[in-house]
């Protein structure tokens, strides 16, 4: 079975631009979460969606937004990119809420 | 205060030996879950093992076992018979609250393990 997939794998943007990251969960999984991992640190929680509803939001500015589609895939949008947004963005899916999350390979975003 | 603390930034271990990675946590919620993930240089987080706060026995998954000491708020990962492929970053993470509380995981800073042949 396919694991969590994310696209693109790498992305280079300039300050002020907008970016959309995509995630497809494991088949049958209804919850998707997004994490940001800055180099040298552990991942930080950004959003969780379950059954297309936002169920949790981390301490990130409103420039970050996300949504989940009827097929349970998800998009993370970041507006007005800053240099500090450069990070590995990880998507994780789980069957339902609160159980083990399985991560995708991540999208490496570089903001110049 | 840090919710998850991993005090070992890096460590070497000889192939075929066991290694213990430390993790202490801080929560006032009686219901929580503790997870360990492995992150190779490729970046993907690989789930290793889970321990629930109400689980009576320590979790085990193949060569991985979790030494859960609830009173001390520690959840150390033990890797037995280390292999070269075990070289990676290891993260301890916590979900506070019962499963219905959602998916938010709080991660520690990680421990880098290098297995020597």
């Amino acid at each position: 079975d396919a694991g969590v997939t994310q696209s693109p794998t790498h992305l280079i943007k300039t300050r002020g631009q907008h970016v959309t990251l995509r995630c497809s969960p494991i088949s049958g999984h209804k919850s998707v979460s997004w994490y940001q991992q800055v180099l040298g640190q552990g991942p930080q929680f950004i959003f969780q969606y379950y059954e297309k509803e936002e169920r949790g939001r981390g301490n990130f500015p409103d420039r970050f937004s996300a949504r989940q589609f009827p097929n349970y895939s998800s998009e993370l949008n970041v507006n007005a990119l800053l240099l500090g947004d450069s990070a590995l963005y990880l998507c994780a899916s789980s069957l339902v809420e609160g159980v083990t999350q399985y991560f995708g390979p991540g999208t490496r975003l570089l903001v110049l | 205060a840090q919710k998850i603390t991993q005090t070992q930034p890096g460590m070497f271990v000889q192939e075929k030996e066991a290694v213990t990675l430390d993790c202490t946590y801080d929560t006032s919620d009686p219901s929580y879950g503790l997870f360990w993930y492995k992150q190779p240089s490729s970046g993907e987080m690989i789930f290793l093992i889970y321990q629930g706060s109400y689980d009576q026995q320590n979790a085990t998954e193949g060569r991985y076992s979790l030494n859960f000491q609830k009173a001390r708020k520690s959840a150390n990962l033990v890797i037995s018979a280390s292999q070269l492929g075990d070289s990676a970053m290891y993260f301890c993470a916590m979900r506070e609250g019962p499963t219905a509380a959602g998916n938010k995981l709080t991660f520690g800073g990680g421990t880098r393990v290098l297995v020597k042949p």
Side-chain angles (χ1 to χ4, degrees):
Chain A
D1 286 343
V4 178
T5 60
Q6 291 185 244
S7 64
T9 56
H10 296 82
L11 206 50
I12 299 176
K13 292 285 189 178
T14 56
R15 281 177 297 173
Q17 284 190 313
H18 163 270
V19 68
T20 298
L21 310 181
R22 295 177 175 83
C23 170
S24 291
I26 293 171
S27 178
H29 284 197
K30 297 181 179 180
S31 183
V32 169
S33 299
W34 288 93
Y35 293 82
Q36 180 197 64
Q37 186 177 21
V38 173
L39 194 63
Q41 298 180 17
Q44 284 204 302
F45 173 78
I46 310 175
F47 284 111
Q48 182 216 340
Y49 278 79
Y50 178 61
E51 291 281 18
K52 300 176 284 291
E53 289 190 2
E54 183 181 305
R55 296 282 291 164
R57 173 186 283 257
N59 188 22
F60 280 82
D62 292 344
R63 299 185 295 109
F64 289 76
S65 64
R67 54 179 175 168
Q68 186 177 34
F69 298 100
N71 66 354
Y72 302 109
S73 67
S74 178
E75 280 183 356
L76 175 70
N77 295 282
V78 187
N79 292 324
L81 285 167
L82 303 174
L83 296 180
D85 295 332
S86 296
L88 177 67
Y89 288 85
L90 295 162
C91 173
S93 76
S94 62
L95 199 60
V96 293
E97 287 190 292
V99 298
T100 299
Q101 296 175 60
Y102 296 91
F103 284 79
T107 294
R108 293 188 186 274
L109 172 64
L110 178 61
V111 182
L112 300 176
Chain B
Q2 294 277 359
K3 285 188 176 289
I4 296 287
T5 302
Q6 295 182 252
T7 57
Q8 307 152 308
M11 54 197 310
F12 289 98
V13 59
Q14 201 66 40
E15 192 179 11
K16 300 181 184 177
E17 290 187 349
V19 61
T20 298
L21 308 183
D22 295 341
C23 172
T24 57
Y25 58 92
D26 182 26
T27 181
S28 57
D29 202 310
S31 179
Y32 52 89
L34 297 160
F35 301 80
W36 276 92
Y37 286 89
K38 169 185 177 182
Q39 188 176 42
S41 55
S42 61
E44 185 170 351
M45 301 284 281
I46 301 168
F47 167 71
L48 297 178
I49 197 166
Y50 166 79
Q51 180 84 42
S53 59
Y54 294 117
D55 293 344
Q56 294 296 314
Q57 294 189 328
N58 287 343
T60 60
E61 289 283 352
R63 295 188 297 112
Y64 305 106
S65 60
L66 203 151
N67 183 3
F68 181 46
Q69 298 188 42
K70 198 170 181 176
R72 293 187 174 185
K73 292 189 175 179
S74 76
N76 298 339
L77 176 71
V78 180
I79 306 174
S80 63
S82 296
Q83 303 172 355
L84 296 179
D86 293 335
S87 295
M89 281 290 286
Y90 288 81
F91 290 96
C92 179
M94 176 174 63
R95 182 208 71 239
E96 287 186 273
T99 54
N103 273 14
K104 178 183 177 181
L105 292 179
T106 301
F107 284 82
T111 295
R112 181 171 297 281
V113 173
L114 189 58
V115 180
K116 299 185 294 183

